[in-house]
Amino acid sequence: MVATAEKSEQRLSMQTDEIAADTTVIRSLDWDRDRFDIEFGLQNGTTYNSYLIRGEKTALVDASHEKFRQLYLDTLRGLIDPTEIDYFVISHTEPDHSGLAKDIMQLAPQAVVVGAKVAIQFLENLVHQPFEQQIVKGGSELDLGNGHVLQFVNAPNLHWPDTMFSYDVKTQVLFTCDAFGLHYCSDSLFDEDLGAIEADYRFYYDCLMAPNARSVLSALKRMDKLGEVTTVANGHGPILYYNVDELVERYRRWSKEQAKADTTAAVFYVSDYGYSDPLSQAIARGITKTGVAVEMIDLKSADSQDVQELVSRTAALVIAMPPASGNSAKATVTTISTILAAAKAKQAIALFESYGGDDEPIDPLLNRFRDLGLKEVVPAIRIRETPSEGIYQECEEAGTDLGQWLTRDRSIKQRKSLDSDLDKAMGRLSSGLYIITAQKGDMTSAMLASWVTQASFQPLGLTIAVAKDRAIESLMQVGDRFVLNILEEGNYQHLMKHFLKRFPPGADRFVGVKTQTAENGSPILTDALAYLECEVVSRMECSDHWIVYSKVNQGRVSKAEALTAVHHRKVGNYY
Ligand code: FEO
């Protein structure tokens, strides 16, 4: 069944289908969702998936984003009389799934709301009226009859502190909300085309789950104790059915990789205050790009022993400013006191505003950390307007700067340690000199590159190796466009010097450089010998680099006789 609403230029539609015995998915298809959270970087829209399970009793698992109010509620009413819903299961309370919770609670006042304690408290604050409720914990069961028994699995931090999976023992469907999801909107209900979705699946993991890798591993351990999982009924994107084992194993592999890092940064945020959550994700993503593990923790619901333990073993503390007053303030003040008591001299500290309208001021807290001997490695991020792409970029780059500072000894050691024949032999690999320039929305970036090579004739294509901790890496995802500027022999020093500078987070790399705009929107360096307009087709992970394969759509040479600048190196363990 499909229903559509045209709203300005945005396309919203609904899709429902049976995915297992007595189990119907209600998918809200958001084809053109704008990028406003960092994990939407691939711009393939998204879906919000909600499920109806009909045993002798009926359960609705999650709902939808409020922009789907009319469409979702009409679709739901077409499937069931809401007064026949017995249970409303809330996997977590982020508004993209529970934005219509209040509407459903009004349409189905008899339904018992089922969720973790934190989720129920959140809803109590949201609706301000009593409702039937059932708090569940990991291991709790809910018998819907006809064999449909829901077993609940604690999955905190995937992606909010209150997240709870549920597993139907009859259908072997595991309902996971954000986990194992992806922002990918298509008519396909399922994951039959792995090639089409895997880049989005990985990007979503990197943004939302990598900063919680230890929590992912804990949730996977709990999942292992369940019966067989034939279907992962996620909250975003195609439902996993054809590639369940493969895609679940990827979470395990990536999370183990993250969790084995020997340096950890703690990122404290407030799950439902201002822009604390998406801004902290952007910072966390920037940190994880450097190979530093991140653990995110909610200032409001954190357990004080967990906070103490985390603070005592991390190299850096990143804190989103909590609200100065209101419901959450008391809990957050207690957590901040715990952090202050456990913090150690020489740890790095980074503070940023949440832009929630009532943020605690940064400076008094920063001064207390300074007095304790902590080091302010990146400047505090002060936000004066609704966060734009540029601000998210600044946060990500600040995170990367922090991660690079934390791993500086490792980087220096890597450069020094290898002085063998092998190293010198590798150094004889030579290449050209290039500058990649990119613009995506209001974000721009640039990077000096030398590991570039032609890779195909039809279409014309090339590969570029980009270190994982490069800022521009975020603008070189599948489908992104950029320009490869080819530098000229004898006429590149000024450009090389400019782009090798260390830029502060979010800085405009093009100030003082002559540019023109390419058809794909990225800057062309006027002084380059030639340029190629490229579009990313695929990416291959190669240890500490991504190999980015791109097709070349057009290009031009400015001087017919000039030669490309060549980069000769002495050793192979550094550029
Ligand atoms: Fe899809 Fe955490 O909400």
Side-chain angles (χ1 to χ4, degrees):
M1 189 208 87
V2 174
T4 308
E6 296 291 339
K7 189 181 157 196
S8 62
E9 289 187 355
Q10 293 220 315
R11 289 175 300 149
L12 309 177
S13 61
M14 300 298 300
Q15 181 188 43
T16 67
D17 218 325
E18 294 296 306
I19 60 155
D22 314 317
T23 308
T24 307
V25 63
I26 310 171
R27 298 177 87 216
S28 304
L29 277 62
D30 189 349
W31 295 90
D32 307 306
R33 178 170 173 162
D34 302 325
R35 178 192 157 106
F36 62 82
D37 283 348
I38 182 171
E39 78 271 15
F40 287 87
L42 300 198
Q43 296 168 333
N44 283 327
T46 194
T47 75
Y48 312 97
N49 305 336
S50 158
Y51 300 89
L52 261 182
I53 310 164
R54 296 184 232 223
E56 286 160 8
K57 304 263 187 189
T58 298
L60 176 66
V61 181
D62 295 322
S64 186
H65 194 288
E66 62 176 4
K67 68 165 88 167
F68 281 88
R69 177 168 283 116
Q70 196 66 43
L71 276 172
Y72 177 88
L73 296 175
D74 286 350
T75 305
L76 181 67
R77 283 194 207 96
L79 291 168
I80 191 170
D81 174 352
T83 60
E84 289 173 10
I85 297 172
D86 299 287
Y87 297 101
F88 179 27
V89 179
I90 301 276
S91 302
H92 81 308
T93 45
E94 200 168 9
D96 52 339
H97 308 280
S98 63
L100 300 178
K102 208 169 166 177
D103 302 73
I104 288 166
M105 288 157 84
Q106 276 162 1
L107 286 172
Q110 77 295 336
V112 178
V113 180
V114 180
K117 190 174 170 193
V118 182
I120 298 290
Q121 281 166 350
F122 178 89
L123 287 174
E124 281 172 337
N125 291 332
L126 184 79
V127 300
H128 298 296
Q129 63 186 49
F131 55 86
E132 293 293 326
Q133 54 181 255
Q134 184 170 334
I135 291 173
V136 286
K137 295 192 285 201
S140 301
E141 291 192 347
L142 180 65
D143 191 349
L144 302 176
N146 285 343
H148 295 280
V149 177
L150 291 185
Q151 293 179 340
F152 294 93
V153 181
N154 239 338
N157 305 323
L158 308 183
H159 117 259
W160 264 14
D162 55 354
T163 302
M164 188 74 83
F165 297 167
S166 32
Y167 174 70
D168 185 337
V169 296
K170 178 170 181 176
T171 55
Q172 301 178 319
V173 176
L174 180 67
F175 302 90
T176 59
C177 207
D178 281 342
F180 310 107
L182 60 154
H183 292 310
Y184 187 88
C185 186
S186 76
D187 289 320
S188 293
L189 266 185
F190 293 108
D191 58 337
E192 61 271 21
D193 189 352
L194 182 59
I197 63 168
E198 60 188 347
D200 293 78
Y201 187 75
R202 175 63 194 261
F203 188 72
Y204 179 100
Y205 171 89
D206 281 348
C207 293
L208 270 191
M209 301 295 157
N212 296 298
R214 280 165 66 114
S215 301
V216 174
L217 292 171
S218 303
L220 285 167
K221 261 192 202 155
R222 292 184 201 109
M223 278 168 59
D224 289 342
K225 293 187 186 136
L226 299 170
E228 192 187 347
V229 175
T230 56
T231 308
V232 173
N234 49 20
H236 297 292
I239 295 161
L240 311 189
Y241 177 75
Y242 295 97
N243 299 286
V244 170
D245 291 346
E246 168 65 25
L247 291 172
V248 169
E249 278 315 300
R250 287 189 193 185
Y251 260 44
R252 200 183 308 270
R253 196 170 72 236
W254 297 332
S255 299
K256 278 186 178 165
E257 196 59 36
Q258 280 289 331
K260 79 175 186 203
D262 44 21
T263 309
T264 301
V267 176
F268 294 91
Y269 72 112
V270 186
S271 57
D272 60 344
Y273 174 65
Y275 293 82
S276 179
D277 176 40
L279 293 168
S280 59
Q281 269 171 38
I283 292 175
R285 166 142 170 80
I287 299 171
T288 55
K289 279 171 74 168
T290 64
V292 170
V294 169
E295 288 185 43
M296 293 184 69
I297 193 156
D298 182 16
L299 282 169
K300 195 180 69 177
S301 60
D303 173 84
S304 73
Q305 267 186 334
D306 291 349
V307 172
Q308 256 173 7
E309 189 271 329
L310 179 59
V311 173
S312 68
R313 68 180 161 81
T314 58
L317 308 174
V318 180
I319 303 175
M321 295 316 295
S325 59
N327 282 336
S328 320
K330 198 170 159 208
T332 57
V333 164
T334 309
T335 310
I336 298 255
S337 304
T338 310
I339 298 171
L340 281 162
K344 292 177 293 195
K346 299 208 175 115
Q347 279 177 318
I349 179 76
L351 301 185
F352 65 98
E353 289 178 338
S354 299
Y355 200 66
D358 183 28
D359 290 12
E360 279 277 2
I362 281 190
D363 293 314
L365 185 61
L366 191 54
N367 286 334
R368 292 181 72 184
F369 281 113
R370 281 183 187 140
D371 291 345
L372 290 169
L374 280 82
K375 192 165 170 53
E376 190 189 0
V377 174
V378 289
I381 300 175
R382 299 165 201 267
I383 299 170
R384 300 283 169 261
E385 59 193 46
T386 305
S388 60
E389 288 173 329
I391 289 173
Y392 287 116
Q393 184 183 16
E394 182 183 345
C395 287
E396 183 176 320
E397 290 179 14
T400 300
D401 279 6
L402 174 64
Q404 287 173 339
W405 187 83
L406 295 173
T407 54
R408 63 201 183 286
D409 290 346
R410 188 176 73 198
S411 308
I412 293 166
K413 211 164 133 197
Q414 261 170 10
R415 282 185 217 175
K416 281 187 182 163
S417 68
L418 304 172
D419 191 21
S420 62
D421 286 345
L422 168 61
D423 219 16
K424 289 175 189 160
M426 277 294 278
R428 290 301 179 272
L429 287 171
S430 61
S431 51
L433 268 176
Y434 311 90
I435 290 167
I436 305 165
T437 49
Q439 167 132 21
K440 185 170 172 182
D442 64 8
M443 298 182 291
T444 57
S445 199
M447 180 189 94
L448 186 71
S450 56
W451 295 1
V452 178
T453 187
Q454 184 163 347
S456 61
F457 287 130
Q458 281 298 339
L460 280 172
L462 50 82
T463 60
I464 305 174
V466 182
K468 284 184 171 173
D469 65 351
R470 296 295 166 161
I472 204 167
E473 182 273 338
S474 301
L475 307 189
M476 295 177 76
Q477 302 293 328
V478 173
D480 284 350
R481 291 159 187 202
F482 64 90
V483 163
L484 183 72
N485 297 273
I486 301 169
L487 302 187
E488 181 190 348
E489 190 181 73
N491 183 29
Y492 63 84
Q493 300 294 2
H494 62 298
L495 288 172
M496 193 164 155
K497 196 173 157 205
H498 176 86
F499 287 103
L500 275 179
K501 271 193 310 219
R502 197 163 180 96
F503 292 91
D508 181 352
R509 270 78 170 160
F510 297 99
V511 174
V513 178
K514 281 185 280 179
T515 61
Q516 294 148 264
T517 305
E519 282 198 21
N520 72 13
S522 295
I524 297 167
L525 302 178
T526 309
D527 289 347
L529 166 61
Y531 72 88
L532 299 169
E533 295 198 28
C534 308
E535 182 178 337
V536 179
V537 175
S538 60
R539 291 160 45 111
M540 184 169 107
E541 189 168 13
C542 294
S543 180
D544 43 18
H545 283 66
W546 288 102
I547 302 288
V548 180
Y549 170 64
S550 309
K551 62 178 180 181
V552 181
N553 296 326
Q554 54 185 308
R556 260 184 96 170
V557 180
S558 64
K559 289 185 201 166
E561 302 303 318
L563 293 175
T564 302
V566 177
H567 182 44
H568 293 292
R569 300 179 302 166
K570 289 201 169 62
V571 286
N573 63 326
Y574 190 58
Y575 298 110

